[in-house]
């Protein structure tokens, strides 16, 4: 009986240390994830091959017709920031608390969508406006479908206050045309 109570006390002491270590590891993981998202998704610079959208799809269709296993939904045809975003989120999902994950996921999805929109504008100038729109639609649909299983809130409420009409009122108050009370 003494042996069991000794083990329980040792386990309790170990639990405190393990919780501190876990907290430290999660903090470092979150920092590295934020850095990765910023560098590899937000600051990604597309190559000519990344933006060769219509030709890339044609090559994939020819490869599929020739018997290759490269189907349309594989990540090989995805825009690299999209693939990196989804890979990062998949790895983080079970490693951090859901509130923390939701914040990281919102940041990653926002940067990814912005990068996809910029790439779509480039595709539209290099190929055609329709190709640019198709590039944008294809990748945003993939993003939406792939983040659905995470059950995280990806919307952000932005509140904007407009005080431009106050300028005239302040001018009249300071000019003595209007009283403060």
């Amino acid at each position: 009986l003494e042996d069991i109570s000794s083990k329980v006390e040792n386990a309790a002491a170990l639990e405190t240390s393990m919780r501190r270590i876990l907290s430290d590891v999660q903090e470092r993981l979150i920092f590295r994830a934020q850095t990765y998202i910023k560098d590899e998704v937000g600051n990604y610079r597309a190559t000519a091959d990344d933006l060769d959208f219509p030709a890339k799809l044609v090559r994939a269709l020819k490869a599929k017709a020739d018997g290759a296993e490269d189907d349309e939904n594989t990540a090989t045809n995805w825009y690299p920031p999209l693939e990196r975003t989804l890979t990062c989120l998949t790895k983080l999902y079970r490693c951090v608390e859901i509130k923390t994950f939701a914040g990281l996921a919102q940041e990653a999805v926002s940067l990814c969508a912005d990068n996809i929109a910029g790439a779509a504008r480039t595709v539209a100038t290099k190929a055609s406006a329709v190709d640019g729109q198709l590039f944008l639609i294809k990748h945003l649909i993939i993003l939406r479908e792939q983040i659905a299983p995470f059950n995280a809130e990806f919307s952000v409420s932005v509140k904007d206050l407009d005080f431009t009409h106050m300028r005239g009122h302040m001018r009249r108050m300071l000019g003595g045309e209007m009283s403060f009370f």
Side-chain angles (χ1 to χ4, degrees):
L1 189 61
E2 288 178 23
D3 188 39
I4 292 174
S5 65
S6 168
K7 288 181 180 179
V8 169
E9 289 173 11
N10 289 340
L14 184 62
E15 179 184 7
T16 306
S17 297
M18 294 305 281
R19 286 190 188 277
R20 271 190 253 138
I21 291 170
L22 177 62
S23 176
D24 187 45
V25 167
Q26 284 183 333
E27 185 179 325
R28 291 172 192 226
L29 178 64
I30 291 165
F31 173 75
R32 292 301 303 150
Q34 286 174 324
T35 303
Y36 178 82
I37 290 166
K38 185 181 75 166
D39 293 345
E40 300 295 324
V41 177
N43 294 333
Y44 181 79
R45 298 294 168 239
T47 64
D49 187 47
D50 294 336
L51 301 175
D52 192 18
F53 180 64
K56 198 174 203 178
L57 291 179
V58 170
R59 285 193 301 271
L61 286 173
K62 285 182 182 176
K64 188 175 181 181
D66 293 340
E69 294 288 324
D70 190 22
D71 98 57
E72 173 62 25
N73 294 323
T74 61
T76 57
N77 291 325
W78 293 356
Y79 185 55
L82 173 64
E83 179 195 359
R84 292 172 184 174
T85 299
L86 296 173
T87 301
C88 181
L89 293 179
T90 301
K91 290 179 180 181
L92 284 175
Y93 185 60
R94 301 221 184 256
C95 297
V96 296
E97 294 177 7
I98 193 68
K99 286 184 179 181
T100 305
F101 175 79
L104 288 170
Q106 195 282 323
E107 179 184 356
V109 168
S110 176
L111 288 172
C112 183
D114 290 346
N115 202 312
I116 290 171
R121 286 189 296 272
T122 305
V123 168
T125 59
K126 289 186 175 187
S128 72
V130 172
D131 288 330
Q133 289 296 312
L134 290 174
F135 179 90
L136 179 66
I137 291 167
K138 174 190 178 202
H139 288 94
L140 290 179
I141 287 173
I142 292 169
L143 180 63
R144 184 191 69 191
E145 288 176 355
Q146 296 295 318
I147 63 173
F150 294 131
N151 296 325
E153 184 65 37
F154 292 101
S155 64
V156 174
S157 297
V158 176
K159 296 184 180 178
D160 193 18
L161 299 175
D162 183 16
F163 291 108
T164 56
H165 67 282
M166 296 299 291
R167 190 178 324 164
H169 292 300
M170 286 300 292
R171 214 176 280 133
R172 284 191 298 251
M173 280 190 252
L174 293 173
E177 299 173 25
M178 191 171 153
S179 69
F180 283 104
F181 300 103

